[in-house]
Amino acid sequence: MERNPEEAGFDPARLTRITEHLDRNYIQSGKIAGCQALVARHGQVAYFESLGCADAERSTPMRDDTIFRIYSMTKPITSVALMQLYEQGHFQLNDPVSRVIPGWRDQKVWVSGDADNMELKAPDSPMTFRHVLSHSGGLTYGATNHPVDKVYRRIGVNRDRNETLSTFMERIGQTPLRYEPGTAWLYSLSTDVCGGLVEAISGMPFDEYLQKNIFDPLEMADTSFWVAPEKQKRFAANYQRNPDKTLKLIDDPERSAYLTKPGFFSGGGGLTSTTADYLRFCEMLRRGGELDGARILGPRTIDLMRKN
């Protein structure tokens, strides 16, 4: 990737402090196996460095084209996909989600009680597209000891790679809402629901929709829900920090589930990508929805998405 620090308005010598800081405080100390850092301004890349190892067990160096699991950075891509369908007139933001997913029409709101003896009520107003796009529809991640979360686990609401978006949406519809739609904010499975809505509205598998309408137009050649065999050597290992701050391998790139196509395409956290690819997505957003002649969204839609 070409770097033009002066053209971007940066002092190259001062940018090297980033490398020195990361190497001294994180790589050499063993706090992380490796990393990438990129600084861009006004469309010009000023700094991009790959440090340490992509796979410490095999001493594989971090490369500029290393592929990472991008987890929740999948969410902005999914939201853009749904907003494309908004622009095409398939829904208004205040439309009920049940217009597309009829099985959600009878969803109730938790009032009190435990998972076995709940008091529920009909919502004062339905969950809307605006709510699922902003994590304010009453959904959760199902991971706490709250009674609603216990129902999530009992019903089997999960993002297992053997699940499908349609069965996932069916299970969500069987759960009570944690709170009245539009009255609170809770980080949740909402963006996975957005992926399910893209699939239901477009009539296309979610992965194919993203490929056709976002990845291909933006030339994001290494972004996918799985890593193709010819790209495996570029796939990074995945580590977690132990309590003693040592690293523990939790997903080996040579045996990872990401090496095969999943059944469930998680719009909330399922994609793999490169720094270069994600820069193109971010640059599209910065430019008001267009990059190198590819129009992904209109500028007024981008402005709307930035509003509180």
Side-chain angles (χ1 to χ4, degrees), residues 75 78 97 101 103-104 107 127 132 135 139-142 152 155-175 188-199 206 263-269:
K75 288 181 170 71
T78 301
V97 172
I101 312 295
W104 289 25
Q107 215 168 8
M127 186 195 310
V132 293
H135 294 275
L139 302 177
T140 86
Y141 258 124
Y152 272 56
I155 292 175
V157 176
N158 61 62
R159 298 184 292 177
D160 187 274
R161 292 174 70 83
N162 296 319
E163 189 72 77
T164 68
L165 269 173
S166 60
T167 57
F168 168 81
M169 296 290 275
E170 288 174 10
R171 294 183 203 275
I172 286 279
Q174 298 170 31
T175 64
S188 67
L189 290 167
S190 289
T191 314
D192 286 291
V193 167
C194 289
L197 291 170
V198 170
E199 190 168 281
F206 184 46
F264 181 71
F265 304 113
S266 172

Side-chain angles (χ1 to χ4, degrees), residues 90-250:
H90 289 283
F91 64 90
Q92 295 298 312
L93 291 177
N94 291 329
D95 284 348
V97 172
S98 60
R99 217 194 79 194
V100 175
I101 312 295
W104 289 25
R105 285 182 181 144
D106 296 325
Q107 215 168 8
K108 300 293 193 295
V109 179
W110 175 83
V111 177
S112 63
D114 59 28
D116 296 314
N117 186 29
M118 283 188 174
E119 179 186 352
L120 304 173
K121 65 178 287 293
D124 294 336
S125 58
M127 186 195 310
T128 67
F129 284 83
R130 186 186 301 274
H131 294 148
V132 293
L133 281 160
S134 60
H135 294 275
S136 59
L139 302 177
T140 86
Y141 258 124
T144 74
N145 286 321
H146 190 278
V148 170
D149 288 1
K150 291 179 180 178
V151 174
Y152 272 56
R153 295 193 290 274
R154 178 183 298 171
I155 292 175
V157 176
N158 61 62
R159 298 184 292 177
D160 187 274
R161 292 174 70 83
N162 296 319
E163 189 72 77
T164 68
L165 269 173
S166 60
T167 57
F168 168 81
M169 296 290 275
E170 288 174 10
R171 294 183 203 275
I172 286 279
Q174 298 170 31
T175 64
L177 301 177
R178 173 81 176 264
Y179 54 85
E180 287 281 354
T183 65
W185 181 93
L186 184 64
Y187 198 47
S188 67
L189 290 167
S190 289
T191 314
D192 286 291
V193 167
C194 289
L197 291 170
V198 170
E199 190 168 281
I201 294 169
S202 69
M204 297 175 63
F206 184 46
D207 63 321
E208 293 180 16
Y209 181 93
L210 293 183
Q211 192 67 49
K212 179 181 178 181
N213 295 282
I214 297 178
F215 303 153
D216 285 347
L218 291 178
E219 299 178 13
M220 296 170 64
D222 290 320
T223 304
S224 176
F225 285 104
W226 71 98
V227 177
E230 66 273 15
K231 300 179 181 181
Q232 179 183 333
K233 295 296 184 184
R234 294 196 280 129
F235 191 33
N238 191 13
Y239 300 91
Q240 74 176 24
R241 295 284 295 281
N242 291 318
D244 63 358
K245 298 187 178 181
T246 58
L247 298 179
K248 176 184 178 182
L249 178 68
I250 60 172

Side-chain angles (χ1 to χ4, degrees), residues 6-68:
E6 293 94 345
E7 195 168 337
F10 288 90
D11 180 344
R14 294 172 73 88
L15 286 174
T16 62
R17 295 176 183 176
I18 300 173
T19 305
E20 294 166 358
H21 171 78
L22 292 172
D23 186 58
R24 179 179 63 252
N25 294 297
Y26 293 93
I27 305 298
Q28 297 302 326
S29 67
K31 288 183 179 178
I32 59 176
C35 66
Q36 285 181 346
L38 185 147
V39 178
R41 183 168 181 257
H42 301 318
Q44 293 292 334
V45 175
Y47 174 92
F48 180 45
E49 292 296 331
S50 302
L51 307 171
C53 290
D55 182 346
E57 276 65 35
R58 299 174 180 88
S59 300
T60 305
M62 188 71 72
R63 299 172 19 164
D64 287 359
D65 61 355
T66 291
I67 296 172
F68 302 92

Side-chain angles (χ1 to χ4, degrees), residues 246-271:
T246 58
L247 298 179
K248 176 184 178 182
L249 178 68
I250 60 172
D251 191 30
D252 189 317
E254 292 192 357
R255 292 184 286 275
S256 174
Y258 283 90
L259 301 178
T260 58
K261 183 176 180 178
F264 181 71
F265 304 113
S266 172
L271 286 171

